[in-house]
Amino acid sequence: MIVAFSISPTTGDETGGVSEAVAAAVRVVRESGLPNETNAMFTNIEGEWDEVMAVVKKAVDVVAEVSPRVGLVLKADIRPGFTGQLSAKVERVERALEQA
């Protein structure tokens, strides 16, 4: 499965920024060893249901250490029997664009 998620604390620094808390969550994902990528809006992670959800929970817990309330947006692509889809899905779209 691939999960795209975004975690945000309800409190930020003096400028309203949340990058330090978000970085702590992304660090949890990267240290998990699961395939992942981060963009401007979401972090994507690929693996089995239990391992992915455990990483998401741990990332939320890290952010909760610095904020009394945490927002989580999560979208999942559940496709049993398929791995390597974090890059394969994009490659299929790129090939389709080249053929157009």
Side-chain angles (χ1 to χ4, degrees):
M1 80 182 305
I2 298 173
V3 168
F5 70 100
S6 174
I7 300 172
S8 186
T10 58
T11 55
D13 63 20
E14 62 279 353
T15 68
V18 296
S19 60
E20 291 297 321
V22 171
V26 171
R27 187 172 297 112
V28 166
V29 174
R30 291 185 179 173
E31 290 175 353
S32 75
L34 295 174
N36 67 84
E37 61 187 21
T38 299
N39 59 49
M41 297 292 294
F42 287 92
T43 294
N44 301 317
I45 184 170
E46 183 174 11
E48 296 299 319
W49 180 276
D50 289 340
E51 61 188 357
V52 168
M53 291 304 172
V55 172
V56 171
K57 181 184 184 320
K58 186 173 179 182
V60 169
D61 291 345
V62 166
V63 174
E65 292 176 6
V66 297
S67 180
R69 191 174 186 178
V70 178
L72 171 66
V73 175
L74 187 142
K75 180 178 179 179
D77 180 358
I78 303 160
R79 195 173 184 195
F82 286 80
T83 59
Q85 295 303 296
L86 199 59
S87 59
K89 289 175 73 168
V90 176
E91 291 167 4
R92 286 191 297 272
V93 171
E94 291 297 336
R95 279 196 306 273
L97 288 168
E98 290 171 2
Q99 296 172 3

